């Protein structure tokens, strides 16, 4: 096909010989784009396209989605199970039977020697909800370890915690359609155009139509900040101060929704007393912005007919991430902006199925938002699964970020990692490496054999990728969408559901506890269990989901086509039916720049890559557009340090050091640097990652570093290659 000029040097787009299109949902981010994979006459995936009638993306895909089909043939896919006795020996290829027998035997040995909780399970936000549910059943109903969590603690646990504290339950109350109704949008700590490009496209289209004000709060001049009407470049870690101060102005100027507050919230008196201390003059000094900006934004937000807030990791990945989420919810509650078109508090989720794990994996509780701490919920699930109620713990166990320290102290001896890569994703890489070396048994289950963490494993189980199996994902706006199998997994790789079921067969379990083999059968259990719950799937089927290109929960007799918004009647999930207004004193406990480490270190994403590059690092075009770990450095700081544009520099923190290429730009302040999160042996070597007390999420974005000039640029380039090699 010719594109552009047709005579001299025309641009040629190869026409792919597609014999059939397979419907799926993108397996990278939580936007939830509907994708069709084009298969040739031999069943090979040759292209991908957005689905034109999908409500989420209307045919659009971002760069990652466009090349999604290339994943099926990407390098270093796991094709056969691997085992070894000691982690420094070479792996041997083996059969599924041997690998699973060994895994089951090691789990049993560790649990019978040290106790059930001495074996931990850490999963992901990337597998199907049916798989999450089955893993939860295996872990809670058979293994009985309470040290079970997902890597979503690194990205979304502050949002979960904040929603629970404010509204009494997890579950984002809004939807993308709110962009078409809002009169003011506040985005805090989110670089939407790079993180979630198709959600940004939805927002941009809505803004082009209606021109509502967009305010972006971010210490960095991100792409999103450049598109905004107002950019508030606050000092790192001062978001709660700003949000308290916005509420201060709104209350002081009588812009709050008195009737809504009286009818649907509790705690107003304590809340108003606390925000009374956050006058704009004081707040502006702490935040490093001018006080009139605070007043202007508060007035815009308070006077808007409908106003909404969105946020991502800039809020969540903080020592007070949960408080940041609650502060955003507070702002929306006092202005009556929850559950109405254009008025909401919408966390933009990270991974494609971070929502699915929250709903059904039983990591932090029991399926369909049931709580281990609730006697009735424990009794219900014990009866449904046919397990002894006493087998369930009465409160959740360790979060992922507490599981690794528990390995350090010898409390945990064995670990099962499922589609997660802590050697790259956890802060303080050196500490994680030592931790993994201490394990008596590590099993890594992943689609890629070369995932960095596999270096420390005793067993590797090759898993199928998205598009090689079936099941559902839930996106940011609670839309459940389906992935159909487009191609078969390579070699002997198996769907995660098959692996969980095969492992379950190797344990003694109660007679009633069944492990259905097909995703459709598992989905039936999820429908039944969610009936009457907030995340109600009871009105959905796999077929209806595909036909509608996704359905938003709750979907039941009252909402047969799903529901775009939660809390539309002002009723919340706390026992009194009200939302809580929670006073949030500012606690400044981050590592801060000082004389030895004078720069704030911030991290984030680039549009070309996904998380630890296990997938996108193997896609030619994505690597071509973003090949190198780099650091944004302000030109005035660079001049002071004698550093030139594109020169390699050493970045040093109290934990370790990393070699990166300096990119001089005024996107960062003179006392701050930014490094993308994606590259192995890079920014997470440097990060401290102090934990939020509520969500246990690490503060990836608030560490202190110094920058050293490197005389030998040739060797520096080699050191930089280490981060690129993976
Ligand atoms: Fe996939 Fe997210 Fe890109 Fe959509 S925006 S194509 S879901 S990576």
């Amino acid at each position: 096909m010719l594109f552009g000029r047709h005579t001299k040097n025309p641009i040629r787009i190869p026409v792919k010989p597609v014999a059939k299109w397979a419907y799926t949902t993108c397996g990278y981010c939580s936007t939830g784009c509907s994708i069709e994979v084009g298969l040739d006459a031999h069943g090979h995936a040759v292209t991908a396209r957005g689905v034109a009638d999908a409500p989420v993306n209307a045919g659009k895909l971002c760069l990652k989605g466009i090349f999604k089909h290339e994943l099926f043939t990407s390098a270093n896919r796991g094709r056969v199970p691997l085992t070894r006795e000691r982690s420094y020996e070479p792996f041997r290829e083996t059969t599924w039977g041997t690998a699973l027998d060994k895994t089951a035997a090691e789990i049993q040995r560790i649990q019978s020697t040290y106790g059930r909780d001495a074996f931990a399970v850490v999963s992901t936000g990337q597998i199907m909800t049916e798989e999450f549910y089955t893993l939860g059943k295996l872990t809670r109903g058979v293994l009985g370890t309470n040290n079970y969590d997902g890597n979503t603690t690194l990205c979304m646990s502050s949002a979960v915690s904040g929603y629970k504290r404010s509204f009494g339950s997890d579950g984002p109350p809004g939807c993308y359609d709110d962009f078409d109704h809002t009169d003011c949008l506040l985005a805090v700590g989110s670089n939407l155009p790079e993180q979630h490009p198709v959600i940004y496209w939805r927002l941009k289209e809505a803004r082009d139509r209606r021109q509502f004000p967009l305010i972006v709060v971010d210490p960095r001049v991100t792409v999103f900040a450049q598109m905004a009407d107002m950019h508030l470049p606050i000092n790192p870690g001062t978001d709660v101060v700003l949000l308290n101060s916005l509420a201060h102005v709104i209350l002081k100027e009588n812009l709050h929704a008195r009737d809504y507050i009286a009818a649907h919230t509790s705690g107003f008196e304590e809340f108003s007393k606390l925000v009374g201390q956050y006058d704009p003059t004081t707040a502006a000094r702490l935040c490093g912005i001018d006080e009139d900006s605070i007043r202007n934004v508060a007035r815009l937000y308070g006077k808007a007919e409908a106003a909404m807030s969105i946020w991502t990791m800039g809020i969540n990945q903080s020592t007070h991430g949960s408080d940041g989420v609650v502060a955003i919810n507070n702002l929306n509650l006092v202005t009556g902006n929850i559950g109405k078109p254009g008025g909401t508090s919408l966390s933009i989720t990270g991974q494609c199925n971070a929502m699915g794990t929250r709903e059904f994996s039983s990591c932090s509780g029991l399926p369909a938002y049931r709580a281990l701490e609730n006697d009735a919920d424990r009794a219900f699930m014990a009866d449904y699964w046919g397990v002894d109620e006493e087998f369930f713990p009465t409160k959740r166990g360790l979060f992922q970020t507490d599981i690794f320290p528990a390995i350090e102290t010898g409390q945990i001896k064995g670990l099962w990692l499922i589609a997660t890569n802590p050697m790259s994703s956890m802060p303080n890489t050196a500490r994680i490496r030592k931790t993994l070396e201490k394990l008596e048994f590590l099993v890594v289950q992943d689609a890629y054999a070369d995932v960095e963490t596999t270096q420390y494993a005793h067993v590797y189980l090759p898993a199928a990728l998205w598009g090689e199996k079936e099941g559902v994902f839930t996106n940011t706006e609670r839309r459940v969408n389906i992935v159909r199998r487009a191609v078969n997994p390579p070699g002997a790789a198996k769907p995660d559901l098959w692996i969980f079921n095969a492992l379950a067969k190797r344990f003694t379990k109660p007679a009633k506890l069944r492990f259905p083999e097909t995703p459709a059968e598992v989905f039936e259990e999820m429908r039944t269990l969610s009936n009457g719950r907030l995340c109600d799937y009871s009105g959905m089927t796999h077929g209806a989901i595909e036909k509608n290109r996704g359905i938003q929960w709750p979907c039941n007799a009252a909402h047969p086509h799903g529901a775009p918004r939660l809390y539309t009647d002002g009723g919340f999930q706390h026992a009194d039916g009200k939302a809580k207004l929670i006073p949030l004193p500012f606690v400044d406990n981050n590592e801060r720049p000082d004389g030895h480490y004078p720069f704030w270190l911030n991290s984030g994403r680039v549009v070309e890559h996904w998380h630890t590059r296990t997938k996108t690092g193997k896609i030619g075009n994505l690597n071509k557009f973003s090949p190198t770990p780099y650091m944004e450095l302000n030109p005035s700081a660079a001049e002071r340090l004698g550093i030139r544009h594109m020169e390699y520099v050493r970045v040093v923190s109290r934990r370790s050091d990393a070699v990166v290429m300096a990119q001089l730009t005024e996107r960062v302040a003179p006392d701050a640097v930014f490094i993308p999160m994606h590259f192995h042996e890079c920014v997470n070597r440097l990060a401290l990652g102090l934990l939020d007390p509520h969500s246990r999420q690490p503060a990836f974005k608030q560490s202190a570093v110094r920058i050293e000039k490197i005389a030998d640029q040739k060797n520096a380039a080699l050191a930089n290659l280490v981060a690129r090699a993976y």
Side-chain angles (χ1 to χ4, degrees):
M1 182 196 297
L2 294 185
F3 183 73
R5 58 183 177 237
H6 284 204
T7 47
K8 195 179 169 201
N9 299 329
I11 298 165
R12 288 178 195 282
I13 298 180
V15 177
K16 302 284 174 65
V18 175
K20 186 185 158 203
W21 293 96
Y23 181 86
T24 70
T25 305
C26 180
Y28 285 125
C29 86
S30 70
T31 303
C33 296
S34 293
I35 291 192
E36 282 177 325
V37 176
L39 305 171
D40 68 12
H42 308 288
H44 299 136
V46 290
T47 188
R49 69 180 184 190
V51 175
D53 62 351
V56 165
N57 54 317
K60 301 273 190 305
L61 294 177
C62 80
L63 199 59
K64 293 186 284 292
I66 287 168
F67 296 113
K68 191 92 207 209
H69 61 287
E70 293 187 13
L71 281 179
F72 298 128
T73 48
S74 54
N76 299 334
R77 289 292 309 278
R79 291 167 178 274
V80 63
L82 305 171
T83 59
R84 59 186 169 188
E85 290 312 308
R86 282 165 284 275
S87 58
Y88 53 81
E89 292 172 350
F91 272 120
R92 288 182 310 277
E93 293 190 355
T94 189
T95 62
W96 273 104
T98 305
L100 291 170
D101 286 347
K102 181 180 169 73
T103 301
E106 281 296 300
I107 295 172
Q108 280 156 348
R109 178 187 68 77
I110 286 169
Q111 290 194 310
S112 60
T113 311
Y114 305 106
R116 290 204 313 242
D117 290 344
F119 187 81
V121 181
V122 175
S123 78
T124 178
Q126 297 273 305
I127 59 177
M128 310 291 169
T129 310
E130 292 85 347
E131 295 173 332
F132 281 130
Y133 171 71
T134 304
L135 174 63
K137 191 193 283 189
L138 173 61
T139 306
R140 291 277 176 220
V142 180
L143 306 185
T145 175
N146 197 18
N147 292 325
Y148 165 43
D149 197 20
N151 65 11
T152 40
T153 289
L154 306 183
C155 54
M156 295 318 299
S157 92
S158 291
V160 173
S161 159
Y163 277 143
K164 285 182 178 171
R165 289 166 72 198
S166 296
F167 305 145
S169 173
D170 184 21
C175 58
Y176 307 153
D177 191 47
D178 284 320
F179 299 144
D180 284 308
H181 301 279
T182 197
D183 299 303
C184 181
L185 193 142
L186 177 69
V188 193
S190 166
N191 186 13
L192 205 63
E194 291 210 66
Q195 293 160 349
H196 299 84
V198 172
I199 302 182
Y200 175 68
W201 163 73
R202 292 280 301 264
L203 169 60
K204 186 177 176 305
E205 295 254 301
R207 253 182 108 220
D208 286 349
R209 281 191 289 271
R210 296 179 44 254
Q211 297 298 323
F212 54 84
L214 168 66
I215 302 125
V216 170
V217 180
D218 201 302
R220 197 162 70 104
V221 189
T222 59
V223 177
F224 204 15
Q226 290 171 45
M227 307 292 177
D229 296 301
M230 284 181 78
H231 172 214
L232 306 188
I234 60 169
N235 288 328
T238 59
D239 38 56
V240 170
V241 177
L242 173 70
L243 291 156
N244 278 345
S245 191
L246 294 177
H248 173 104
V249 177
I250 285 168
L251 298 191
K252 193 159 182 214
E253 301 193 3
N254 236 338
L255 301 173
H256 52 302
R258 287 171 180 278
D259 294 347
Y260 186 91
I261 293 168
H264 303 302
T265 71
S266 62
F268 179 70
E269 212 171 293
E270 296 79 14
F271 171 75
S272 58
K273 214 182 283 171
L274 186 280
V275 298
Q277 299 164 22
Y278 288 79
D279 61 276
T281 312
T282 309
R285 243 191 348 258
L286 287 167
C287 295
I289 56 174
D290 67 293
E291 58 185 87
D292 277 343
S293 291
I294 298 178
R295 290 195 187 92
N296 287 338
V297 171
R299 286 170 192 150
L300 273 175
Y301 210 85
K303 289 178 183 172
E305 200 62 40
M308 66 184 286
S309 317
I310 60 171
W311 73 93
T312 323
M313 299 312 149
I315 284 284
N316 292 345
Q317 291 178 335
S318 159
T319 48
H320 50 268
S322 174
D323 280 359
V325 174
V326 171
I328 289 171
N329 295 339
N330 284 341
L331 182 68
N332 289 307
L333 288 168
V334 295
T335 51
N337 279 305
I338 295 290
K340 73 180 190 189
T344 195
S345 207
L346 183 63
S347 87
I348 307 291
T349 309
Q351 302 178 70
C352 58
N353 204 19
M355 283 291 292
T357 186
R358 285 152 67 172
E359 293 156 12
F360 279 101
S361 73
S362 307
C363 277
S364 62
L366 291 165
Y369 289 159
R370 290 181 173 86
L372 286 162
E373 294 79 4
N374 181 312
D375 294 346
D377 287 351
R378 277 201 321 279
F380 179 91
M381 282 312 303
D383 181 57
Y384 186 84
W385 281 344
V387 301
D388 185 348
E389 192 186 328
E390 298 300 311
F391 199 64
F392 293 147
T394 52
K395 62 175 190 174
R396 74 166 291 171
L398 297 176
F399 288 72
Q400 179 191 356
T401 42
D402 292 312
I403 283 174
F404 288 93
I407 296 169
E408 258 179 348
T409 57
Q411 195 185 332
I412 289 173
K413 304 287 187 185
L415 178 63
W416 179 12
L417 296 173
I418 299 143
T420 189
N421 184 16
M423 269 300 293
S424 274
S425 59
M426 288 284 288
N428 203 344
T429 314
R431 188 174 170 191
I432 295 299
R433 178 182 295 115
K434 280 191 195 147
T435 304
L436 293 173
E437 284 171 352
K438 281 198 75 170
L439 285 165
E440 289 186 12
F441 180 68
L442 172 64
V443 49
V444 170
Q445 177 172 328
D446 202 284
Y448 288 90
D450 65 344
V451 67
E452 288 86 6
T453 309
T454 307
Q455 292 169 39
Y456 304 90
H458 301 89
V459 172
Y460 165 74
L461 305 176
L465 260 186
W466 153 95
E468 294 166 349
K469 53 184 181 176
E470 295 207 347
V472 297
F473 291 153
T474 310
N475 78 351
T476 282
E477 56 169 2
R478 292 170 287 99
R479 186 180 298 276
V480 179
N481 209 343
I482 196 157
V483 172
R484 295 292 189 191
R485 194 172 66 178
V487 298
N488 290 322
K494 296 285 186 193
D496 295 274
L497 180 62
W498 183 93
I499 300 171
F500 300 146
N501 282 339
L503 200 58
K505 287 190 184 120
R506 286 162 166 82
F507 289 85
T508 316
K509 46 190 179 302
K512 193 180 161 191
L513 190 60
R514 284 184 59 250
F515 281 84
E517 288 187 358
T518 68
E521 287 173 283
V522 180
F523 191 82
E524 280 305 307
E525 281 194 25
M526 289 159 43
R527 281 180 66 195
T528 309
L529 279 171
S530 65
N531 193 356
R533 308 290 301 173
L534 187 68
C535 57
D536 195 337
Y537 280 33
S538 61
M540 299 184 202
T541 61
H542 274 183
I545 292 168
E546 179 171 349
K547 188 161 166 249
N548 290 285
R549 283 36 181 132
I551 299 175
Q552 287 166 284
W553 60 254
C555 175
N556 47 29
H559 304 284
H561 306 294
R565 296 175 188 87
L566 301 180
Y567 313 128
T568 50
D569 60 356
F572 291 89
Q573 295 286 305
H574 284 300
D576 62 0
K578 294 187 172 187
K580 283 191 165 92
L581 285 166
I582 301 171
L584 303 162
F586 173 55
V587 181
D588 187 9
N589 56 354
N590 286 309
E591 182 181 50
R592 297 182 65 85
D594 58 18
H596 299 290
Y597 300 93
F599 291 90
W600 283 107
L601 170 65
N602 185 4
S603 66
R605 304 180 202 197
V606 297
V607 70
E608 295 86 0
H609 286 302
W610 178 251
H611 283 196
T612 65
R613 290 168 73 248
T614 309
K615 294 174 187 163
T616 52
K618 300 180 176 85
I619 304 296
N621 276 319
L622 301 181
N623 262 335
K624 191 165 73 184
F625 298 144
S626 178
T628 305
Y630 67 90
M631 175 184 72
E632 291 181 355
L633 175 67
N634 188 285
S636 63
E639 192 180 347
R640 200 162 23 85
L641 295 165
I643 291 166
R644 285 171 303 156
H645 187 53
M646 306 283 277
E647 206 170 66
Y648 290 105
V649 296
R650 186 181 309 282
V651 191
V652 187
S653 76
R654 288 184 180 84
R655 273 68 59 193
S656 190
D657 63 349
V659 175
V660 292
M661 182 185 276
Q663 186 183 92
L664 305 195
T665 169
E666 292 187 349
R667 282 163 63 122
V668 288
D671 66 345
V673 296
F674 169 87
I675 300 178
M677 62 172 273
H678 310 285
F679 295 88
H680 178 61
E681 296 289 351
C682 197
V683 72
N684 282 341
R685 285 167 64 101
L686 308 166
L688 171 56
L690 291 174
L691 301 181
D692 177 286
H694 296 278
S695 68
R696 312 304 289 158
Q697 184 158 347
F700 281 102
K701 293 171 183 292
Q702 292 118 27
S703 302
V705 294
R706 70 167 182 264
I707 297 158
E708 294 176 358
K709 191 174 163 61
I710 302 178
D712 185 349
Q713 286 289 305
K714 227 183 206 166
N715 267 332
L718 281 177
N720 183 258
L721 262 179
V722 172
R724 280 195 248 175
Y726 290 91

